[in-house]
C-alpha cells in the first residue's frame, strides 16, 4: 500500500494529525497495534482544557517537597525502585519549573491552548460527536477558607489571559452540584473549557471521520518503522505500507522509534489511573469536579462517574498498583456520594512528558520525511487537533499559525 504519509499512532494526537493532513490533500494511512482511542486517549478526565494556561510544573516549595518525600500523598506517588532511573529527568523538570522556565513554557504553550476548543469544534461537528461534548465547564471545589482564598487569588493572577470563570459561594456550588458533601464551602467554575463524556469514543469518532473521508486505518506494529531507499516503510496486517513521509505520534511509545535513530529527546512517563463508580443517593453529577487538594478529578462519563488520579512515577511496564487510587478514592468518598466500583480493575494510562513542559512538534532534522508530534503530557486530549493542525501546516508548506520553534526537537541537542 503506497501513500503520501504514514501516521504512527491512533490516539487523539495521531488521529487529529491524520485528519489535518487529509484536509490538506495528503493521502494518509493511520497505523496502530490497537483500535483508535484505546490507549492513553481513552482514560483521561475528558477536559478540553482552555483554562490551563499555566503548565503543570514541578513543585518548588520546600514544605510541599517534604510532604511528597514521605510518599503518602494522594496526588503524587513514586516507586522507590524507579527513582534512580528517573532522577536525572526529575532534576531537569525541576530546573525548568523555576520562574523563568515556567514563564517561557507558559508563553510557548499559550497559542496552542488558545485554539484548543475551536480546533476540536471543527472536527467534532462533522464527526457527529457533539453529543459527547458539553460546554458547561468544570468546577474546582474547596473545603477550607485558606485553600479557597488562595484559589481566588490565583484566579485573579490569571487576569491577563482573559479567562471566564465564576467564584461560587457555598450555596451556589451546592446548587450546581447538590451531591457535594456539606463541608464544601465554595468553588471556582471555569467556563471556557469543554468537557467530554467519552474521550476514547471521541477519538474513535474522529477516526471514523478520517476513514469516511477516504483515509485508511490499519493494524500493525508502528514501532517497526524503517527507512529503505529514501522511503518510510512499516508492516501491517494488510501488508507493507510505503510512504515518503512518516509522523511519529505514538505518545508514550514514541521513544521506541526516535531513540534508536539517535534523537536525545528526554521523554518520560507519568502514570495515572481511573476507575468508574455508580452514582449513589439518586445523585447525577453535572460537571467534572476537581479536588485540587486531593489531586484527583471526578467526571460524569458514559461508563459512570470516573475518578482520575494524579501522577505516579513508576516503570512504564510495572503492574497496576492501587495505592494511589485507593488514597484518592478515600478522599472522593468524603466529597461526593460514590457507589460501587463499576470496572473489574483500574485502568492504567501513561502520559508522555517532556521536562520543559512543551511537546515535540516538527521535523526530525537528520531524517528526511520524518516528523514528530508527541509529548503532550496531561493535555493530549486538549491539544490533539491544534497540534495536528500546526504539524500539518509545517508539512504542507503553509504558514504556521504560530511560531513552531518552541516545540522543535532540536531544543534538546
Amino acid at each position: 500500500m503506497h501513500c503520501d504519509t504514514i501516521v504512527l499512532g491512533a490516539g487523539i494526537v495521531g488521529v487529529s494529525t491524520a485528519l489535518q493532513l487529509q484536509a490538506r490533500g495528503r493521502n494518509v494511512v493511520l497505523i496502530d497495534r490497537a483500535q483508535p482511542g484505546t490507549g492513553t486517549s481513552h482514560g483521561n478526565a475528558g477536559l478540553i482544557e482552555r483554562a490551563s494556561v499555566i503548565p503543570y510544573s514541578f513543585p518548588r516549595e520546600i514544605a510541599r517537597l517534604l510532604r511528597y518525600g514521605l510518599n503518602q500523598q494522594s496526588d503524587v506517588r513514586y516507586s522507590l525502585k524507579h527513582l534512580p532511573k528517573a532522577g536525572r529527568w526529575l532534576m531537569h523538570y525541576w530546573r525548568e519549573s523555576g520562574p523563568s522556565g515556567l514563564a517561557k513554557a507558559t508563553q510557548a504553550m499559550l497559542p496552542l491552548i488558545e485554539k484548543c476548543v475551536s480546533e476540536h469544534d471543527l472536527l467534532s461537528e462533522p464527526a457527529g460527536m457533539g453529543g459527547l461534548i458539553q460546554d458547561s465547564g468544570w468546577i474546582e471545589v474547596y473545603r477550607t477558607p485558606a485553600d479557597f482564598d488562595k484559589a481566588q487569588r490565583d484566579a485573579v493572577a490569571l487576569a491577563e489571559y482573559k479567562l471566564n470563570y465564576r467564584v461560587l459561594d457555598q450555596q451556589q456550588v451546592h446548587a450546581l452540584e447538590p451531591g457535594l458533601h456539606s463541608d464544601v464551602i465554595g468553588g471556582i467554575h471555569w467556563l471556557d473549557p469543554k468537557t467530554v463524556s467519552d474521550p476514547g469514543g471521541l477519538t474513535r469518532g474522529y477516526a471514523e471521520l478520517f476513514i469516511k473521508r477516504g483515509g485508511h486505518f490499519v493494524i500493525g506494529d508502528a514501532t517497526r518503522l524503517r527507512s529503505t531507499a529514501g522511503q518510510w516503510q512499516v508492516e501491517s496486517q494488510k501488508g507493507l505500507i510505503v510512504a515518503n513521509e512518516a509522523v511519529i505520534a505514538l505518545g508514550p511509545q514514541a521513544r521506541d522509534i526516535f531513540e534508536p535513530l539517535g534523537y536525545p529527546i528526554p521523554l518520560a512517563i507519568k502514570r495515572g489511573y481511573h476507575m468508574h463508580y455508580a452514582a449513589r443517593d439518586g445523585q447525577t453529577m453535572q460537571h467534572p469536579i476537581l479536588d485540587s487538594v486531593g489531586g484527583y478529578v471526578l467526571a460524569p462519563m458514559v461508563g459512570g462517574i470516573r475518578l482520575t488520579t494524579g501522577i505516579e512515577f513508576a516503570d512504564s511496564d510495572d503492574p497496576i498498583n492501587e495505592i494511589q487510587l485507593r488514597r484518592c478514592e478515600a478522599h472522593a468518598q468524603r466529597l461526593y456520594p460514590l457507589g460501587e466500583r463499576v470496572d473489574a480493575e483500574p485502568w492504567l494510562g501513561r502520559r508522555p512528558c517532556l521536562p520543559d513542559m512543551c511537546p515535540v512538534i516538527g521535523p526530525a532534522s537528520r531524517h528526511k520525511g520524518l516528523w514528530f508530534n508527541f509529548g503532550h503530557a496531561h493535555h493530549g486530549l486538549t491539544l490533539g487537533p491544534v497540534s495536528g493542525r500546526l504539524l500539518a501546516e509545517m508539512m504542507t508548506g503553509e504558514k504556521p499559525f504560530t511560531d513552531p520553534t518552541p516545540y522543535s526537537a532540536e531544543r534538546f541537542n
Side-chain angles (χ1 to χ4, degrees), residues 35-112:
Q35 292 296 318
T38 54
T40 303
S41 297
H42 165 71
N44 54 71
L47 305 180
I48 303 174
E49 232 320 37
R50 174 62 182 87
S52 279
V53 292
I54 308 297
Y56 288 100
S57 59
F58 197 103
R60 310 278 290 186
E61 305 90 343
I62 297 299
R64 191 175 174 191
L65 289 172
L66 289 174
R67 289 198 301 273
Y68 287 140
L70 296 174
N71 208 17
Q72 299 295 316
Q73 301 298 110
S74 57
D75 55 341
V76 177
R77 179 193 170 271
Y78 59 86
S79 162
L80 281 173
K81 72 180 181 67
H82 179 68
L83 282 187
K85 304 175 188 177
R88 184 177 179 181
W89 188 90
L90 289 171
M91 283 300 299
H92 192 172
Y93 185 21
W94 181 82
R95 289 195 302 270
E96 294 287 351
S97 296
S100 61
L102 183 58
K104 180 180 177 181
T106 298
Q107 291 306 308
M109 294 303 294
L110 190 60
L112 303 182

Side-chain angles (χ1 to χ4, degrees), residues 385-399:
V386 67
S387 65
R389 171 187 167 179
L390 178 60
L391 185 66
E393 288 172 343
M394 297 170 70
M395 292 177 67
T396 58
E398 290 183 41
K399 181 181 180 180

Side-chain angles (χ1 to χ4, degrees), residues 316-353:
S316 180
D317 295 330
D318 277 359
I320 288 172
N321 186 322
E322 287 204 33
I323 290 175
Q324 186 180 38
L325 178 64
R326 289 172 180 167
R327 289 174 182 169
C328 292
E329 191 176 75
H331 283 289
Q333 292 285 7
R334 297 192 295 269
L335 181 75
Y336 197 87
L338 299 179
E340 297 296 316
R341 287 185 174 190
V342 173
D343 305 326
E345 64 176 8
W347 179 87
L348 168 62
R350 298 162 177 86
R351 307 176 184 101
C353 303

Side-chain angles (χ1 to χ4, degrees), residues 108-178:
M109 294 303 294
L110 190 60
L112 303 182
I113 293 292
E114 288 178 333
K115 292 186 178 296
C116 67
V117 170
S118 59
E119 290 298 325
H120 263 285
D121 290 344
L122 292 173
L123 298 183
S124 62
E125 184 175 347
M129 292 289 106
L132 296 180
I133 300 178
Q134 296 77 43
D135 60 1
S136 53
W138 60 274
I139 303 173
E140 204 170 345
V141 298
Y142 296 92
R143 294 187 176 92
T144 70
D147 290 334
F148 191 27
D149 289 345
K150 181 181 183 303
Q152 293 177 68
R153 293 194 300 272
D154 290 345
V156 171
L158 300 176
E160 65 180 288
Y161 302 107
K162 297 181 173 57
L163 300 174
N164 296 297
Y165 66 91
R166 296 171 56 212
V167 176
L168 306 173
D169 61 23
Q170 189 168 29
Q171 181 178 357
Q172 291 169 326
V173 74
H174 285 274
L176 281 178
E177 290 293 345

Side-chain angles (χ1 to χ4, degrees), residues 4 15 41 69 99 104 122 130 151 155 167 182 217 222 229 251 254 261 286 292 306 325 341 382 391 395:
D4 297 323
V15 171
S41 297
K104 180 180 177 181
L122 292 173
V167 176
S182 60
F217 169 73
L261 294 175
Q286 301 297 322
S292 61
R306 178 180 292 183
L325 178 64
R341 287 185 174 190
T382 295
L391 185 66
M395 292 177 67

